[in-house]
Amino acid sequence: MNSPILLTKLNIPQIRRNLIDRSRLINQIERCMDVPLTLISAPAGFGKTTLINQWLNNDHHGHGGNFQVGWLSLDDEDDDPNRFWEYFLAAMERNLDEKSCFETAHSLLQGLLEPPIQNLLVQVINTITSRPVHFTLIIDDFQLIHHSSILDGITYLVEHMPENLHLVLLTRADPPLPFGRWRIQGKLNEIRTTDLRFTIDEASKYLQEVQTLNLDSAEIQALEERTEGWIAGLQMAGLSLRDLSPIQADKFISEFSGQNHLILDYLTDEVLIRLSDDLQAFLLKTSILSQFCPSLCAFVCSSESDQTVASGKYSQLLEELDHSNLFVIPLDNQRVWYRYHHLFAELLRVRLNEKYPEWIPLLHRKAAHWYEENGFPFEAMHHAISAQDINLATDVIERTVRKPATWSTGNIARMLEIVNTLPKEVIANRPWLRIYLSGILYVGGQPCLADEMLEDVEKSLVDVNFPSSSVMDELFLYTSTFRGFYAATLGYSVKAVHLAKKVLALLHEDDKRVYGHALATLGQAEFSTGDVTAAARYYSKAVENQKRNNAHFTAVTWTGNLADVLITQGRLHAAVEICNPIIRSTDKDGNPESAVGYLQTFHAAILYEWDQLDEAEEMIFSGLRKMQNFGISPNFGRSHAMLAMVQQAQGKVVDANNSMEIAVQIAQRSGSVRYIDRIAAYQARLWLLQGEVTKAIHWAEGWMELRQELSSSNQLPEYLVENEQISAAWILFAGNRLSDALMIIEPIIASATQYGRLSSLVEGMAVKALILAEQKGNEIAAQQSMLQAVQLSRPEGYIRTYLNLGRSCFDLLKSLTVKDNKIKIYRDLILDHFQSHHKVKPTLYESHQHGDYEKLSSREIEVLNLMASGMTNEQIAQKLYLTNNTIRAHSTHIFDKLGVHNRTEAVTKARALGILR
Amino acid sequence: MNDRAKYEIVVMGTLGDRWADWFPGMMIDHEEQGGNYVTRITGIVQDQSNLIGILQTLINLGLPLLLVKKQD
């Protein structure tokens, strides 16, 4: 959303001078401050936007400085839930002091097919409620919205609207919303066509004062009657009457009144006749543009010879049009971008189509070129398609995806959307386009589709006899490189290494094309199979290579991957050291935001390990935001899984579940078994932390069975599944399946020791210690194992790993006899962390071990928390958007599970058990 | 149900032939009805969304609808 064009969507359109007094309507609009929804519904040209503008410019809001407004002008493309709610949030945020107040809401919108809108709206409602403001959100052109999920969201919002939030919809047609119900409930303030028509008084004032025409009352009445108070009609009539002598004016009015043609058609012709030929041509030519600035006008309107001088001329021309009320609307304060009034543009296009149909494709082609030159690929494609020039559109896309800038600042997800609308045959003949598109699919979270696309390209290269074999070699070089890289991420290490080595053998080290990619492929393959030392070496070389070649996007993303390797190696500080300078870098350092956002997740993982939860959450949010501008955040399920873990640690159970659900969806959409398994392990850990032991164990058992099957049929994957294994061991331990847990953890410790994967080693040793501690006669071995974990993890300051292991870990750590003072200080630090905020929520599964009550669900814990804060059932119901009955049912379950009879007992017992702080 | 159907739409006022491209495949006729000029638009619409689009265009042009009828 950084493009200046898109930002104009959130600008309040600039008001025209010389407006007539419409206090009767202003007073009616003012009622919007008393009701949730105001509907201003009338066809085009009835002055809806102008009127709301007039109201905004009035000072008599009576709400002091607390009156705030958000504006959103919709376009055809916005009838899409994700896009709509993104803009919705952006419009709300624009005028609230903090930028980040809707981060959680944003994180719910990461390109999901069905974003959880209700949750998002609850966040918005809570944020607004807590602020001392009166916030009015105005949405223009709401008739463009038909998607039921958006309409459902608006309905929900209106029905749960806090008193200090108001919605104003400007629309040409009533949207399908339950207005009948809202009217009866007094929730609706309505201004309709009849209200908006100019009365004879207003028409008279308008023509005399604003248009400064000298007309008698009979003439005014004739105009008002013929236009029926339609403002656009009166405005056109006014323009036609300008500079006419009284006799001519008289003649015009009588002809006009007797006219039976479409008023606007007639009037437009009248207005155009009075303009110079140049100006007429200008209006007709620019009518194909949905917005325009002087330089674009110059390019589209001028012949090639005079373009250099033209821009200044057009800047002046646009201002003149603005001044003479010729239906242009400035879109920004600097008066650079304008658009025509929609109706006027339509009327002009009819004339263009009638008079100069042969110009139309040419004009669109010119517009496409200007937009492409100036870095607006989407607008360029739109015009290329309007010119019915599919080849041009495809050229634009191909050139765009091959530009490095696209990978730094472009919205590649949208690019993909547009590509999908192009005919398959056109794409099929463009191997280069397809190679780059596969890259987009890959970073967009679809590695399997990306690989299929390249497989197709390779097949077509063999089928079709390509003229030059050097072009062919070049294409194969790229497909092999990328297919190798995808194979590495998908876990097919053997294939990855094979392809990467083949590529490396063909190239010299100074090669600027794909040498670095092949190195990264080897890095990823080694990482997959667990050789982190080799992985770090290859990735470092790959990053170096990309830096040398100024390939910023890959340099930064692979630094992120390198950080991931370092974290596994237990080199947390080293990982922070390579991330920090990039995160702190500025635009001019050339590090693409999108890639920086990706890298931030790894940094957040370290902050989480150090138990700096708020910082970790902030880091992920800002990273997701950066990726989202690029359109690739959906790819990265791990960001959301990490976010879920952080939120769980912060005690935000509902948020944690939302985030995990998103991570799961993203993984499933990727179609990669490896992605899905990885996220499932995170989900299982989260369940365990929430006390859902049964679910967690169910996962662990299923996972082990599958491993068993794969192993007996010799189909175990080529990649390491350490995280899954540790998760399973930990969960089985929590379920008291000690020998099963031990059987999994021993080999992990051995392999992690051999290859130097310290993070896994520390966690493995700690889990093993806990298992041993539960076994009779192994107390000393348990102590030794825990002590070893502590010694290993001290230099890098691991904390979260221990905290997640819960009460039994706390007990074991506490009972350790530590001689070395440094180790003792570190051990005490971990214990402090346990005691400060985490004693609060010692994870619940241990109470299961102690077995004296049934686990509470996350919702029940939430209800219990609110009970503890002294809320009534009704208040809790309101807060959680549930019914009173549901809350009562939850309470009954809570009492049953805790074996108590009332709220006070429940809260006391929950505190004693450590469920509540 | 087959979505394609022939419709007849009548609006108040006269819509010039120059608008024909905005209603592809439709016939536009003018006639006088009780002293008023009306425009009759007839032809095949592809589906209901197509029909709604046509109606919306007419409404945007400020032509009040008098009749919308599906023909057999």
Side-chain angles (χ1 to χ4, degrees):
Chain A
M1 267 186 271
N2 292 325
S3 128
I5 293 198
L6 291 176
L7 280 177
T8 61
K9 293 170 67 68
L10 307 180
N11 284 347
I12 300 176
Q14 302 296 301
I15 194 160
R16 270 190 293 276
R17 292 150 299 280
N18 303 332
L19 295 164
I20 68 151
D21 173 36
R22 308 203 82 188
S23 9
R24 65 181 175 100
L25 291 171
I26 300 288
N27 292 337
Q28 207 179 329
I29 295 187
E30 184 71 18
R31 279 196 55 220
C32 80
M33 304 301 285
D34 305 323
V35 296
L37 178 64
T38 295
L39 178 73
I40 305 185
S41 179
F46 275 96
K48 298 182 291 291
T49 312
T50 313
L51 183 68
I52 196 86
N53 242 309
Q54 244 175 312
W55 174 69
L56 288 175
N57 281 303
N58 273 359
D59 288 329
H60 55 271
H61 305 301
H63 301 280
N66 297 332
F67 177 81
Q68 294 191 334
V69 179
W71 184 282
L72 172 56
S73 300
L74 297 173
D75 290 315
D76 292 327
E77 289 187 334
D78 299 333
D79 191 21
D80 164 288
N82 280 295
R83 198 164 298 160
F84 177 87
W85 294 112
E86 256 321 314
Y87 278 127
F88 175 89
L89 292 177
M92 300 279 299
E93 263 170 347
R94 203 136 187 245
N95 289 298
L96 290 173
D97 5 328
E98 304 158 45
K99 267 265 168 273
S100 59
C101 54
F102 294 127
E103 289 294 12
T104 325
H106 277 291
S107 76
L108 295 173
L109 274 181
Q110 307 290 324
L112 296 183
L113 295 177
E114 286 176 23
I117 294 309
Q118 206 152 314
N119 297 343
L120 176 145
L121 290 170
V122 170
Q123 308 263 0
V124 170
I125 291 166
N126 289 342
T127 307
I128 295 294
T129 314
S130 67
R131 271 155 211 260
V133 292
H134 261 276
F135 195 95
T136 308
L137 178 67
I138 302 165
I139 306 183
D140 199 1
D141 283 324
F142 197 80
Q143 75 279 351
L144 296 169
I145 299 300
H146 305 288
H147 203 289
S148 64
S149 112
I150 302 177
L151 294 166
D152 289 349
I154 293 289
T155 307
Y156 180 85
L157 183 64
V158 169
E159 302 199 330
H160 296 87
M161 198 91 111
E163 278 185 4
N164 61 340
L165 178 61
H166 317 281
L167 184 63
V168 178
L169 301 180
L170 275 55
T171 181
R172 292 191 195 174
D174 287 8
L177 292 170
F179 292 119
R181 180 162 83 216
W182 294 340
R183 234 172 247 141
I184 293 167
Q185 294 171 342
K187 286 186 171 162
L188 182 64
N189 177 28
E190 256 175 304
I191 297 175
R192 313 196 57 90
T193 314
T194 334
D195 308 309
L196 288 163
R197 286 184 201 283
F198 269 171
T199 61
I200 182 86
D201 245 21
E202 286 168 330
S204 159
K205 273 191 193 146
Y206 173 75
L207 292 168
Q208 297 189 340
E209 291 169 18
V210 179
Q211 299 273 11
T212 57
L213 297 166
N214 196 4
L215 304 169
D216 64 34
S217 59
E219 289 171 324
I220 289 169
Q221 184 148 9
L223 289 174
E224 206 271 337
E225 268 171 24
R226 182 66 182 94
T227 57
E228 297 179 30
W230 188 20
I231 300 169
L234 278 164
Q235 192 177 348
M236 287 286 222
L239 286 169
S240 313
L241 282 163
R242 227 181 248 183
D243 306 325
L244 295 190
S245 70
I247 300 170
Q248 287 171 315
D250 209 40
K251 188 163 165 272
F252 171 84
I253 292 170
S254 70
E255 275 177 15
F256 173 46
S257 306
Q259 259 293 330
N260 56 47
H261 272 99
L262 183 63
I263 301 177
L264 281 187
D265 256 348
Y266 177 75
L267 290 174
T268 308
D269 290 339
E270 290 294 317
V271 170
L272 288 179
I273 287 170
R274 286 165 174 71
L275 301 175
S276 69
D277 288 352
D278 271 1
L279 192 51
Q280 280 192 41
F282 171 83
L283 291 172
L284 294 185
K285 285 175 175 173
T286 50
S287 69
I288 60 144
L289 303 168
S290 46
Q291 39 197 345
F292 39 86
C293 63
S295 139
L296 172 58
C297 291
F299 193 86
V300 170
C301 296
S302 314
S303 58
E304 264 148 50
S305 53
D306 58 27
Q307 259 167 36
T308 40
V309 283
S311 193
K313 177 181 126 191
Y314 284 102
S315 163
Q316 208 180 344
L317 183 66
L318 288 174
E319 262 180 55
E320 276 170 32
L321 289 177
D322 184 20
H323 278 279
S324 54
N325 268 346
L326 258 171
F327 297 98
V328 293
I329 300 167
L331 293 172
D332 51 45
N333 287 324
Q334 296 77 39
R335 310 218 159 209
V336 175
W337 285 94
Y338 293 83
R339 69 166 171 86
Y340 288 117
H341 190 284
H342 295 314
L343 196 55
F344 188 62
E346 192 92 323
L347 290 159
L348 291 174
R349 282 197 286 269
V350 169
R351 276 147 192 84
L352 176 65
N353 191 39
E354 184 180 54
K355 279 191 173 164
Y356 310 107
E358 73 282 2
W359 286 4
I360 296 174
L362 187 71
L363 292 168
H364 278 296
R365 232 173 274 142
K366 279 183 163 186
H369 283 136
W370 185 90
Y371 272 121
E372 192 189 353
E373 284 289 305
N374 288 276
F376 299 102
F378 298 112
E379 286 75 7
M381 285 177 232
H382 165 79
H383 282 290
I385 291 168
S386 299
Q388 303 206 324
D389 193 339
I390 294 295
N391 280 324
L392 176 62
T394 318
D395 284 345
V396 172
I397 294 177
E398 187 167 328
R399 282 193 291 262
T400 308
V401 291
R402 293 184 77 163
K403 260 190 216 150
T406 304
W407 295 80
S408 339
T409 52
N411 185 332
I412 57 164
R414 231 179 119 199
M415 187 99 39
L416 202 57
E417 243 171 67
I418 294 187
V419 171
N420 284 334
T421 65
L422 294 175
K424 292 264 175 299
E425 316 85 77
V426 179
I427 311 276
N429 295 325
R430 305 271 190 136
W432 282 116
L433 176 59
R434 289 206 288 168
I435 287 173
Y436 281 92
L437 288 180
S438 88
I440 292 180
L441 282 170
Y442 174 76
V443 294
Q446 311 255 294
C448 303
L449 287 182
D451 188 58
E452 275 169 32
M453 183 170 275
L454 290 188
E455 196 178 353
D456 274 359
V457 172
E458 286 180 347
K459 271 191 206 139
S460 71
L461 289 180
V462 177
D463 288 352
V464 185
N465 256 333
F466 247 77
S468 141
S469 72
S470 73
V471 172
M472 179 103 150
D473 289 346
E474 178 90 357
L475 286 164
F476 266 116
L477 177 68
Y478 274 76
T479 54
S480 309
T481 308
F482 287 136
R483 292 195 75 188
F485 190 71
Y486 304 156
T489 350
L490 290 168
Y492 305 112
S493 310
V494 176
K495 177 177 164 193
V497 171
H498 167 75
L499 286 169
K501 294 219 157 132
K502 202 174 93 181
V503 169
L504 287 178
L506 287 170
L507 300 175
H508 187 261
E509 214 173 307
D510 294 334
D511 179 83
K512 284 188 178 359
R513 295 164 299 172
V514 289
Y515 193 85
H517 289 78
L519 288 173
T521 304
L522 290 178
Q524 191 59 40
E526 295 290 2
F527 189 26
S528 274
T529 46
D531 189 344
V532 278
T533 317
R537 197 174 58 236
Y538 283 124
Y539 259 128
S540 302
K541 275 195 196 168
V543 170
E544 276 310 305
N545 176 288
Q546 297 302 292
K547 278 188 187 158
R548 262 204 311 281
N549 295 332
N550 284 323
H552 298 289
F553 181 81
T554 35
V556 174
T557 42
W558 294 344
T559 304
N561 292 354
L562 177 57
D564 196 11
V565 176
L566 293 177
I567 293 169
T568 312
Q569 280 186 305
R571 294 160 66 188
L572 307 187
H573 288 96
V576 168
E577 230 161 79
I578 59 166
C579 290
N580 262 341
I582 293 175
I583 294 170
R584 291 204 200 105
S585 64
T586 56
D587 285 349
K588 70 173 179 351
D589 296 320
N591 290 328
E593 249 206 351
S594 49
V596 176
Y598 170 83
L599 169 135
Q600 280 181 215
T601 298
F602 299 106
H603 193 285
I606 301 167
L607 294 171
Y608 174 69
E609 185 56 57
W610 289 343
D611 203 31
Q612 298 169 14
L613 302 176
D614 294 346
E615 292 83 348
E617 190 190 36
E618 169 72 41
M619 181 68 71
I620 299 176
F621 276 149
S622 98
L624 283 174
R625 181 59 82 78
K626 287 174 188 163
M627 287 194 269
Q628 192 174 28
N629 288 340
F630 188 52
I632 60 160
S633 55
N635 80 330
F636 209 41
R638 262 172 84 187
S639 302
H640 293 276
M642 183 44 68
L643 182 59
M645 302 308 281
V646 172
Q647 286 167 330
Q648 175 65 31
Q650 288 173 314
K652 299 193 281 198
V653 178
V654 176
D655 289 345
N657 285 337
N658 280 333
S659 301
M660 190 55 82
E661 195 186 315
I662 292 171
V664 170
Q665 280 194 42
I666 292 170
Q668 276 163 354
R669 202 171 42 178
S670 77
S672 154
V673 179
R674 190 176 186 208
Y675 286 25
I676 295 170
D677 284 354
R678 184 155 57 192
I679 297 299
Y682 275 109
Q683 166 75 79
R685 283 181 180 229
L686 187 66
W687 278 328
L688 189 58
L689 290 170
Q690 294 177 344
E692 306 266 14
V693 186
T694 324
K695 280 189 187 167
I697 289 190
H698 184 75
W699 168 81
E701 283 172 344
W703 188 79
M704 285 201 313
E705 254 168 53
L706 186 68
R707 290 284 293 178
Q708 200 63 49
E709 267 171 42
L710 291 175
S711 156
S712 57
S713 59
N714 245 339
Q715 285 180 322
L716 277 182
E718 294 159 21
Y719 52 89
L720 204 67
V721 286
E722 208 161 54
N723 189 38
E724 287 90 323
Q725 279 171 316
I726 297 178
S727 303
W730 179 31
I731 288 165
L732 291 171
F733 155 73
N736 247 330
R737 307 255 299 263
L738 301 180
S739 53
D740 286 343
L742 204 57
M743 219 160 67
I744 300 178
I745 213 80
E746 291 283 19
I748 291 179
I749 293 177
S751 151
T753 311
Q754 186 189 346
Y755 287 98
R757 295 187 301 271
L758 186 77
S759 281
S760 314
L761 186 55
V762 168
E763 200 174 10
M765 302 272 268
V767 172
K768 182 183 169 189
L770 298 185
I771 300 169
L772 294 175
E774 292 289 320
Q775 291 176 329
K776 274 231 162 350
N778 274 334
E779 290 81 2
I780 295 177
Q783 291 232 347
Q784 276 171 349
S785 182
M786 188 56 93
L787 187 61
Q788 229 174 326
V790 172
Q791 280 167 339
L792 284 170
S793 66
R794 190 195 61 86
E796 298 284 351
Y798 284 70
I799 291 173
R800 214 351 98 180
T801 297
Y802 298 102
L803 299 187
N804 279 351
L805 293 174
R807 167 78 33 98
S808 42
C809 181
F810 175 81
D811 293 340
L812 186 54
L813 277 170
K814 203 170 176 187
S815 72
L816 284 187
T817 330
V818 186
K819 292 187 191 115
D820 184 329
N821 201 36
K822 276 188 195 155
I823 304 284
K824 189 172 178 308
I825 290 171
Y826 169 56
R827 191 272 312 262
D828 291 347
L829 178 77
I830 302 175
L831 293 179
D832 279 350
H833 274 267
F834 262 111
Q835 278 172 325
S836 59
H837 47 210
H838 298 284
K839 183 175 65 179
V840 208
K841 301 207 169 263
T843 44
L844 292 175
Y845 64 85
E846 60 236 316
S847 4
H848 173 86
Q849 291 171 1
H850 306 305
D852 55 10
Y853 72 94
E854 226 184 306
K855 292 114 10 236
L856 299 181
S857 73
S858 52
R859 189 54 127 186
E860 286 161 356
I861 293 170
E862 206 177 0
V863 171
L864 197 55
N865 254 307
L866 296 174
M867 279 183 180
S869 73
M871 283 192 178
T872 64
N873 275 359
E874 201 164 74
Q875 287 167 330
I876 297 175
Q878 263 181 5
K879 169 128 186 151
L880 299 178
Y881 296 103
L882 297 169
T883 63
N884 281 349
N885 280 336
T886 313
I887 298 299
R888 244 173 266 138
H890 279 310
S891 311
T892 316
H893 288 140
I894 295 169
F895 298 166
D896 279 357
K897 287 182 177 176
L898 294 176
V900 296
H901 306 288
N902 59 44
R903 297 164 58 118
T904 321
E905 283 178 29
V907 171
T908 317
K909 178 127 188 206
R911 288 217 167 98
L913 288 166
I915 302 171
L916 290 179
R917 51 181 93 203
Chain B
M1 190 182 120
N2 190 353
D3 290 336
R4 279 167 63 91
K6 194 171 180 193
Y7 271 87
E8 175 190 2
I9 302 162
V10 181
V11 291
M12 178 90 91
T14 312
L15 182 71
D17 294 336
R18 57 167 39 136
W19 289 90
D21 282 358
W22 265 246
F23 306 96
M26 312 285 281
M27 294 243 303
I28 301 181
D29 299 305
H30 304 114
E31 60 189 74
E32 208 183 321
Q33 263 186 11
N36 289 320
Y37 287 93
V38 300
T39 302
R40 183 182 309 277
I41 301 165
T42 40
I44 305 282
V45 304
Q46 300 309 313
D47 50 28
Q48 293 294 300
S49 315
N50 184 196
L51 177 63
I52 302 253
I54 291 170
L55 298 179
Q56 193 68 56
T57 309
L58 293 167
I59 290 166
N60 286 344
L61 289 170
L63 297 163
L65 280 171
L66 297 177
L67 172 100
V68 180
K69 197 174 167 209
K70 188 176 168 189
Q71 298 185 327
D72 302 320

